[in-house]
Amino acid sequence: MFCKRIHRPIDDALHNAEQRGTRAAYLRCWRRYLQQGEHMTAEAFLIAMTIIFSVPYLIWRLARTDYYAPLVVVQIITGILLGPGILGAIFPHYYASVFNPPVIQALNGLAWWAVMVFVWIAGIELDIKQVWLQRRESGITAGLALGVPLAFGCAAAIGMLAWRDGWMGPAATRWQFVLGVGMSCAVTALPILILLMEKLGILREPLGQRVLRYASLDDLAIWAVLALILLDWERVGTQAAFLLLFAPVAWGFRRLMRWLPASDRWYVGLIWLAACGYVADRSGLHFMVGAFLAGAVIDREWFDQDHMDLLRRHVLLVMMPVFFLSTGLRTNWSVGGLSVFIAAFMLLVASVGGKLAGLQLAGRMLKWDKGDAWTIGWLLQTKALIMIIFVNILLDRNLITSATFTALLLMAVASTMLTVPVVGPKLTWAKRPPPYS
């Protein structure tokens, strides 16, 4: 629609000016073409932004989904619904008019920066000092919470490959695909876990702090495994050089941050984020690996915790909805809708079953109180953002197909939606006063 309104009259004018041989007329027509094209692209972009922010909010508020699906989860689901597989199939002409290539390119730029800032914050919020103080318990628990669902997820990935074609990306080797899908089943989204524990009222309680320690250690392992998956053996020297040089440069950056006043640290931190993302991507690793490393070397104590919480919430409010829509635009049902849902269910069983089994083993080994393993296991099911970022990277590198991406996305949404309805009643019951004797 937009393209037809712009191109036909302008193309005719350009052709007539060229036929007349008047260079000035030709240039004037070309300028008018560019101006009208920019105007219509701006209109389409603003329509897209209105949809991105209004539709999830209306669903969340009118349907009152907050208990089982917080706004962030509704935004992810809406991104899927607004993708080419659903909205594009129902209203193809309208979809092509609004989500045209220039608009998608603009949305992707916003999404890249939004998710880089979010991953940077996740890196800053890692509390390695507390993990080290409780290293035996944290190491055993985090290892089993990650390792068991990783094994279950790898088994599910092998089953998908044996079942039918269309899951593994053209650039992937078998081990990269299996490990990538397996790690997707093992991921815990630390930032969303913080939001859900705030909602449940346990973030600052001993249970909440325990869960944060386990999730922090798993977060480190997730990005380390991603770096391994993304190793390009033709460019391994460049990637190794980046990782080796990062350590001394990070040491110098840390010294600079200690010297800077608190007000300057935010701005310098963002410069550091952009530079690390660029160099990591240039070396052959993904810019998200650079974003996480940029945050991981920053001490949380250098920033006011209330300000950090506000920044995370503002990024979620203002920028991350664009990323969710950008993610939804990449979903694909070409393998067959039923096959994608079957694969998503298999992955959900592997993820939930593996996480709960791992935590039950940890609870027995460490002699936890009854019920702790079940509660912690369900809290660590929270996948949403970090897992979606993880699988976006796998898709960017052509290690998985759009069908696998869609199945993993559905699994992430389902596992996150299960957390509060399962854990909430148990925590409410545990807080009840004892009965009178």
Side-chain angles (χ1 to χ4, degrees), residues 241-260:
F242 163 73
L243 295 173
L244 288 173
L245 290 173
F246 181 79
V249 174
W251 177 81
F253 172 75
R254 286 174 57 83
R255 294 199 61 170
L256 173 65
M257 289 289 279
R258 289 193 189 98
W259 175 77
L260 288 171

Side-chain angles (χ1 to χ4, degrees), residues 165-411:
D165 296 330
W167 305 113
M168 191 165 73
T173 59
R174 189 179 179 88
W175 74 267
Q176 286 176 310
F177 175 81
V178 171
L179 184 58
V181 172
M183 185 54 72
S184 299
C185 292
V187 166
T188 296
L190 181 60
I192 300 304
L193 177 62
I194 291 171
L195 293 177
L196 292 184
M197 289 199 297
E198 278 183 337
K199 178 182 175 64
L200 293 166
I202 60 170
L203 179 60
R204 306 303 175 192
E205 295 184 3
L207 175 62
Q209 294 302 301
R210 283 173 62 192
V211 174
L212 282 183
R213 288 201 308 273
Y214 310 147
S216 295
L217 203 54
D218 281 351
D219 226 21
L220 276 177
I222 288 160
W223 292 100
V225 169
L226 178 62
L228 174 65
I229 293 171
L230 296 179
L231 275 179
D232 183 347
W233 300 107
E234 295 179 359
R235 303 171 65 185
V236 69
T238 307
Q239 294 172 340
F242 163 73
L243 295 173
L244 288 173
L245 290 173
F246 181 79
V249 174
W251 177 81
F253 172 75
R254 286 174 57 83
R255 294 199 61 170
L256 173 65
M257 289 289 279
R258 289 193 189 98
W259 175 77
L260 288 171
S263 59
D264 287 7
R265 287 173 182 165
W266 292 103
Y267 200 86
V268 174
L270 292 172
I271 296 171
W272 169 248
L273 164 64
C276 288
Y278 168 75
V279 178
D281 207 66
R282 185 77 174 174
S283 71
L285 296 171
H286 200 276
F287 59 85
M288 287 304 161
V289 176
F292 178 77
L293 290 174
V297 300
I298 295 175
D299 289 349
R300 188 169 59 178
E301 292 78 16
W302 293 346
F303 301 98
D304 182 88
Q305 186 60 53
D306 291 337
H307 291 171
M308 183 62 70
D309 291 341
L310 273 176
L311 177 61
R312 186 188 339 103
R313 289 172 185 150
H314 289 162
V315 171
L316 270 172
L317 173 68
V318 176
M319 299 182 70
M320 287 305 288
V322 180
F323 171 70
F324 300 140
L325 187 277
S326 178
T327 297
L329 295 177
R330 310 179 77 175
T331 54
N332 194 328
W333 311 88
S334 59
V335 172
L338 183 59
S339 298
V340 170
F341 279 106
I342 292 172
F345 180 75
M346 288 171 52
L347 294 167
L348 181 64
V349 171
S351 174
V352 174
K355 192 73 78 175
L356 293 176
L359 269 298
Q360 288 294 334
L361 286 173
R364 290 184 181 181
M365 292 176 64
L366 299 169
K367 297 180 171 54
W368 288 350
D369 292 338
K370 184 179 179 181
D372 278 6
W374 175 264
T375 302
I376 294 171
W378 277 105
L379 285 170
L380 293 177
Q381 295 298 336
T382 307
K383 300 189 182 304
L385 279 179
I386 298 299
M387 186 243 172
I388 292 171
I389 294 167
F390 186 88
V391 297
N392 264 283
I393 295 169
L394 298 182
L395 184 62
D396 284 341
R397 290 291 190 261
N398 290 317
L399 301 179
I400 59 174
T401 62
S402 295
T404 308
F405 174 79
T406 306
L408 289 168
L409 196 63
L410 293 172
M411 181 268 284

